[in-house]
Amino acid sequence: MSAIPERFTVLLKPQLADAEGHPEHGGALRSATVTHTGRTGSSGFPRYEGDGVQADIDPATRTVEAVTVDGSALPYGWVAQVAEEGGGDR
């Protein structure tokens, strides 16, 4: 694995539906800058923490593998995503 990034911005998005009822995720309702803790999370990926968010993130794919927000799981249908480099939403 390549070097582990020091920090990421995690976007928390609710599940919405388009006009045909297909699920789609809207804009981020909350974001958090998380910093590498030096530990590995329960998912086996590096653990990041900050702004009330604990996330295990795969640095190779930039995928959030596990997350808690303010000590709780995300509500059903919500997603946590890593923001695009340069600050864009994805």
Side-chain angles (χ1 to χ4, degrees):
M1 181 183 330
S2 61
I4 295 173
E6 181 63 25
R7 68 183 40 87
F8 287 108
T9 298
V10 175
L11 304 174
L12 304 175
K13 298 179 174 186
Q15 180 171 302
L16 304 172
D18 64 15
E20 290 81 37
H22 300 100
E24 65 178 39
H25 296 284
L29 294 183
R30 181 171 170 181
S31 67
T33 300
V34 294
T35 304
H36 184 237
T37 65
R39 298 186 315 267
T40 300
S42 60
S43 68
F45 290 98
R47 169 63 56 97
Y48 290 79
E49 295 180 2
D51 297 332
V53 174
Q54 292 184 331
D56 298 355
I57 299 174
D58 178 349
T61 64
R62 299 172 50 89
T63 302
V64 177
E65 298 291 343
V67 65
T68 60
V69 179
D70 300 330
S72 299
L74 286 178
Y76 181 77
W78 283 57
V79 296
Q81 297 177 325
V82 171
E84 289 288 331
E85 293 183 53
D89 196 349
R90 91 180 214 195

